[in-house]
Structure formats: structure tokens, C-alpha cells
Amino acid sequence: MAKNYGVAVLLAAALCLVGAVYCHDQERLVVEGPVFCDTCRVDFMTPLSYDLKDAKVKLECRNRTTNVVTLTMETKTDESGWYKIEVDSDHEEELCEVSLVESGDPKCGELLKGMVHKARISLTNRNGITQAARFAGSLSYATKESHANCAKVLLEMGVLPPDFYN
Ligand SMILES: *[C@@H]1O[C@H](CO)[C@@H](O)[C@H](O)[C@H]1NC(C)=O
């Protein structure tokens, strides 16, 4: 499988050289994922969460051995809180992660202490299967205060809010 893939890449490269195919598209990967507003300050999505548009996110890739940053790209989420970043496939094998830069929402811009605000992604093309999209885990900003209905909603979800008994 890996060997066949290598041949396919060589063939694609050769076709690129002679201009037989348009090469940019096929060598690009799309890193994408959601950013939401955590109105219950629990670090996961609830029915009271909403999509965060205009949130600025950054994709950073590093060489696994040297830790040198090889790629930095920023973008913003769309109306539905979704971002997409196009990446050259030569960042496969590197360590890449998406992190939050700035919330576009004045009511929802808090970073919960002690929580992870990065989503690690793998650009590695395992099995030689060409799949353009790479989905990153969801990222979130929180509101300053919890929404008044959080306790009720979290109980309905089967989880208690961390400060329920305080
Ligand atoms: C990481 O850096 C080393 C040293 O510069 C280089 O030999 C290696 O090819 C790099 N790895 C990747 C995946 O680019």
C-alpha cells in the first residue's frame, strides 16, 4: 500500500512537471473544525452553547524532532463557527495544532483556567488514502458568567455543573 502510494506520488509529480495536471489542488489538505461559546463554563458543548463566528484561530506545525516551527497560518471562523485552513501536504509528518488567538465575541472571550485550548491534528496520510479534510477537535471560549439555565440543562444531560453544590 505504502509503496503504491509512493509510486502514485511520483507519477503525480511527473505529471505536474509536464503540466498535464493542475497540481496545487491535489497537494492541499484542509484543516477544519468548530469553535463554540461555552456558556456553562464546563469545557464541553451543551444545548446552551452557540457557534462562535469571527473567532481567530492559528494553525502551527512543528518538526517532530527539532521542534522548529515550520508553518503558522491564521484564519477566522465563518457564520457557523467553522474554520478551514488549507495546508500544503508537505507538512505531513509534522506535529500540527490549532489554537485560539482571539474571540470575535465581546460576550464570550474567556479562556477557562486549566483547560486545553489547542486541538492537535494529524496531517499524516496514513494508509496512502487521500482524504483532503483533517478534522480538529472543537475549541471554545467561555462567557464570564454561566447561563442561568446551566444547572437545569446539565442535570438533563446527566452531568452536574462543577459548582453545583457551592
Ligand atoms: C525535521 O528536521 C530535520 C533536521 O533539519 C530534518 O532532517 C527532517 O527531515 C525534518 N522532518 C520533517 C518531517 O520535515
Side-chain angles (χ1 to χ4, degrees), residues 97-115:
E97 53 191 14
V98 180
S99 56
L100 294 167
V101 179
E102 194 171 58
S103 168
D105 186 339
K107 295 193 297 293
C108 192
E110 302 279 306
L111 290 174
L112 292 181
K113 285 203 182 75
M115 299 298 179

Side-chain angles (χ1 to χ4, degrees), residues 13 20 22 30 56-57 65 87 98 100 160:
Y22 184 68
V30 180
K56 199 190 278 181
V57 297
T65 36
V87 188
V98 180
L100 294 167
L160 292 173

Side-chain angles (χ1 to χ4, degrees), residues 42-56:
V42 286
D43 203 39
F44 54 81
M45 217 175 269
T46 74
L48 293 172
S49 300
Y50 62 88
D51 304 325
L52 264 188
K53 63 170 181 176
D54 286 332
K56 199 190 278 181

